[in-house]
Amino acid sequence: EKVDVEVLALSTYKSFEELVANSPMTDFGYPEDYDKSEFVKLMYDIYDKVGEEKWGVLGIKIKKRLI
């Protein structure tokens, strides 16, 4: 499946903790009151800490385009 999106912002962070500290959970599709520490744990199920420490974290804010 393909989705056409527009990139609204690119933001670099040293860690996932820094990313979530500077972003509302709604940016990730979660309710505002979602536990940020739980979100960080979920990120480590996908990404490893070695890569995070080596390269940091890139936040990409997108908006779906209507075709």
Side-chain angles (χ1 to χ4, degrees):
E1 183 177 337
K2 294 182 182 182
V3 177
D4 191 23
V5 299
E6 176 182 353
V7 175
L8 301 176
L10 298 174
S11 303
T12 56
Y13 300 96
K14 292 180 181 180
S15 66
F16 288 110
E17 289 88 358
E18 185 181 8
L19 169 69
V20 297
N22 290 285
S23 306
M25 292 307 297
T26 54
D27 279 0
F28 309 109
Y30 290 93
E32 185 60 43
D33 62 348
Y34 190 82
D35 184 346
K36 290 185 176 193
S37 62
E38 185 62 29
F39 178 81
V40 171
K41 288 179 189 175
L42 292 171
M43 291 298 97
Y44 291 134
D45 286 344
I46 302 168
Y47 304 101
D48 63 43
K49 289 186 180 189
V50 174
E52 176 192 43
E53 291 171 4
K54 186 174 182 179
W55 295 296
V57 174
L58 177 64
I60 306 171
K61 189 170 189 173
I62 60 172
K63 175 182 164 184
K64 186 176 176 182
R65 290 189 201 183
L66 299 177
I67 299 176

